[in-house]
Amino acid sequence: MSDIAIAPLLAPQPSPEAVTTERLPVRLGLIGICVAFIGLFVLSPLLTVFVEAFRSGVMHYFTSISDPDALAAIRLTVLVAAIAVPTNLVFGLAASWAIAKFEFKGKSLLNTLIDLPFSVSPVISGLIYVLLFGAQGYLGPFLERHNIEIVFALPGIVLATIFVTFPFIARELVPLMEEQGTQDEEAALSLGASGWQTFRKVTLPNIRWALLYGVILCNARAMGEFGAVSVVSGHIRGQTNTMPLHVEILYNEYNFAAAFAVASLLALLALVTLVVKILLEWRYADQIAAARRH
């Protein structure tokens, strides 16, 4: 081999660190921008909620959240989430299984429609249900003749919540299941396992962490949803007001301490969701990494 051919091989090559690592001032600047942004737009409002909630004292705080209307809002919020999250769990599993494991006409359309709630305003989605099920809507006269209440009742709130939250679980599962492929399922089927056994003992263990993340995010969004629920609820105090709607009513009545007290419960939910996610990642880091590499 000639010296000319050997020269490029002997020439010093730039180390990966020299290419990917910025200088210390640049790194410190970027970190400072991130910390300042989070502190200004995330931590400060969150801290303000708790400060205002306890401004009138601890007793007033507990009086506000134990008010009958507040308790009714809390119960309704929990009930709606208890219905919407399992429903989206079933949909998310079915949609991700179909998209990741099968080829069929309309697959790309289904994949696109899953993201529809992300691009449609929640208020618009609520108006759609009013247009369909309201007294002057397409199905309104039929529902009225049969004494079926959808809008301004629990069913309408549940439907609106399901609409705005159904992408969360599916969007956690689809990329992971596509990356994992179908080899494990095919091996299980070749060994005589049934479809249900394959799903329960092969597929589900491989996706359990993504599934759990999706459920946590879906639950947090279901409890905190405002726009779509506001349109279909009718704002009937003590009956169709969820926690976000109850906060709005209290704030509009200039009952700021009570409004922030109920809002602090929603903020606490967000913090609990974050803590659970961090604890799971810390406790099962090796298993999560293995599932993602699988």
Side-chain angles (χ1 to χ4, degrees), residues 260-283:
F260 280 106
V262 179
S264 69
L265 296 179
L266 290 172
L268 185 61
L269 168 67
L271 291 176
V272 169
T273 300
L274 180 62
V275 169
V276 170
K277 182 177 182 294
I278 293 174
L279 289 177
L280 287 173
E281 289 179 338
W282 172 75
R283 175 65 178 82

Side-chain angles (χ1 to χ4, degrees), residues 15 23 57 69 118 126 132 189-190 247 259 270 274 283 285 294:
S15 64
R23 291 178 299 173
D69 289 340
F118 289 147
L132 288 174
L189 292 173
S190 66
V247 171
L274 180 62
R283 175 65 178 82
H294 183 73

Side-chain angles (χ1 to χ4, degrees), residues 61-269:
Y61 175 86
F62 286 104
T63 300
S64 299
I65 63 176
S66 60
D67 178 78
D69 289 340
L71 292 176
I74 294 172
R75 286 194 296 268
L76 180 61
T77 302
V78 173
L79 176 60
V80 171
I83 298 173
V85 173
T87 302
N88 285 329
L89 174 62
V90 174
F91 168 80
L93 285 170
S96 58
W97 181 278
I99 292 173
K101 306 299 182 180
F102 303 113
E103 293 294 334
F104 56 91
K105 292 183 179 179
K107 176 178 176 178
S108 60
L109 177 62
L110 174 61
N111 204 10
T112 302
L113 290 177
I114 290 176
D115 293 329
L116 186 62
F118 289 147
S119 58
V120 175
S121 168
V123 175
I124 300 302
S125 64
L127 288 175
I128 293 173
Y129 286 108
V130 173
L131 180 63
L132 288 174
F133 304 117
Q136 307 301 322
Y138 295 117
L139 301 177
F142 172 82
L143 297 174
E144 186 176 0
R145 286 196 302 269
H146 293 82
N147 296 320
I148 301 175
E149 294 184 351
I150 302 293
V151 177
F152 308 150
L154 175 62
I157 298 174
V158 171
L159 288 174
T161 303
I162 289 175
F163 179 86
V164 298
T165 58
F166 78 77
F168 286 91
I169 296 177
R171 274 292 157 250
E172 287 290 329
L173 295 180
V174 170
L176 179 62
M177 294 180 71
E178 287 182 331
E179 181 182 354
Q180 291 177 348
T182 61
Q183 293 85 355
D184 291 347
E185 286 81 3
E186 291 173 352
L189 292 173
S190 66
L191 294 174
S194 65
W196 170 246
Q197 289 175 327
T198 300
F199 173 78
R200 184 167 57 89
K201 296 184 178 181
V202 178
T203 304
L204 194 57
N206 288 339
I207 64 171
R208 63 184 183 274
W209 301 117
L211 181 62
L212 183 58
Y213 286 167
V215 168
I216 291 174
L217 295 175
C218 182
N219 181 71
R221 178 60 190 276
M223 288 191 173
E225 174 55 31
F226 177 83
V229 172
S230 177
V231 175
V232 301
S233 70
H235 293 268
I236 304 174
R237 197 161 187 164
Q239 297 184 32
T240 63
N241 274 341
T242 58
M243 291 171 65
L245 302 184
H246 189 60
V247 171
E248 181 197 29
I249 288 179
L250 293 174
Y251 191 85
N252 290 336
E253 293 176 347
Y254 302 101
N255 191 353
F256 299 128
F260 280 106
V262 179
S264 69
L265 296 179
L266 290 172
L268 185 61
L269 168 67

